[in-house]
Amino acid sequence: MTTIKRKLYKRGSSFETTIPMPLLFALDKSKKHNVLFKYDSKENRWYIEFEVMKK
């Protein structure tokens, strides 16, 4: 499985626009997150996961 990892960060009064806001509704926005884009070549499908950044 291929994984692409990106930071999720605030830009002004909103979050980075590469992630649609409806996907972020369950996140604790007081914490910083990384976004993991995972590609499964067997199913030809992308998955998005969020992880809390470590200090």
Side-chain angles (χ1 to χ4, degrees):
M1 185 176 283
T2 302
T3 302
I4 301 171
K5 186 175 187 176
R6 295 286 183 255
K7 275 185 178 178
L8 178 64
Y9 59 92
K10 283 185 107 172
R11 182 178 282 179
S13 62
S14 63
F15 286 89
E16 176 61 32
T17 58
T18 58
I19 305 299
M21 283 303 287
L23 295 176
L24 306 176
F25 75 94
L27 294 181
D28 180 357
K29 294 177 185 72
S30 67
K31 298 178 181 177
K32 294 186 178 187
H33 294 81
N34 286 317
V35 182
L36 305 174
F37 297 91
K38 295 186 175 184
Y39 180 70
D40 186 349
S41 58
K42 292 179 184 176
E43 294 184 27
N44 194 27
R45 183 170 228 173
W46 283 94
Y47 297 93
I48 299 174
E49 295 179 10
F50 301 94
E51 69 178 14
V52 176
M53 291 177 68
K54 297 176 183 171
K55 293 184 178 184

